[in-house]
């Protein structure tokens, strides 16, 4: 997938999309710089596209609420 150049800001260092559709988000916040969250696409029972969080290297207490079990 071709993403726009310069897809970064103070919160997002980088976003990489794999051929399988996984999204690797690397944070750019100073206290968490370089830590990652991985989002995995899946189709739910209603045939809707959903995203599952895979922790990556970011500590669980910093994950978005939607990533908590």
């Amino acid at each position: 997938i071709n993403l726009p150049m310069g897809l970064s800001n103070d919160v997002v260092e980088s976003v990489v999309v794999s051929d399988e559709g996984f999204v690797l988000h690397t944070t750019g916040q100073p206290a968490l710089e370089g830590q990652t969250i991985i989002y995995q696409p899946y189709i739910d029972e209603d045939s809707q596209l959903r995203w599952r969080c895979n922790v990556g290297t970011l500590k669980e207490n910093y994950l978005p609420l939607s990533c908590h079990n």
Side-chain angles (χ1 to χ4, degrees), residues 13 26-36 58-59 62:
E13 181 177 306
T26 304
T27 183
Q29 292 178 316
L32 306 172
E33 191 169 358
Q35 299 294 303
T36 61
L58 193 63
K59 292 181 181 175
Y62 293 112

Side-chain angles (χ1 to χ4, degrees), residues 6-16 24-29:
L7 185 62
S8 66
N9 58 31
D10 292 342
V11 177
V12 178
E13 181 177 306
S14 68
V15 175
V16 176
L24 175 66
H25 163 209
T26 304
T27 183
Q29 292 178 316

Side-chain angles (χ1 to χ4, degrees), residues 29-46:
Q29 292 178 316
L32 306 172
E33 191 169 358
Q35 299 294 303
T36 61
I37 303 172
I38 302 168
Y39 297 97
Q40 176 184 2
Y42 70 97
I43 304 296
D44 70 9
E45 62 277 353
D46 296 322

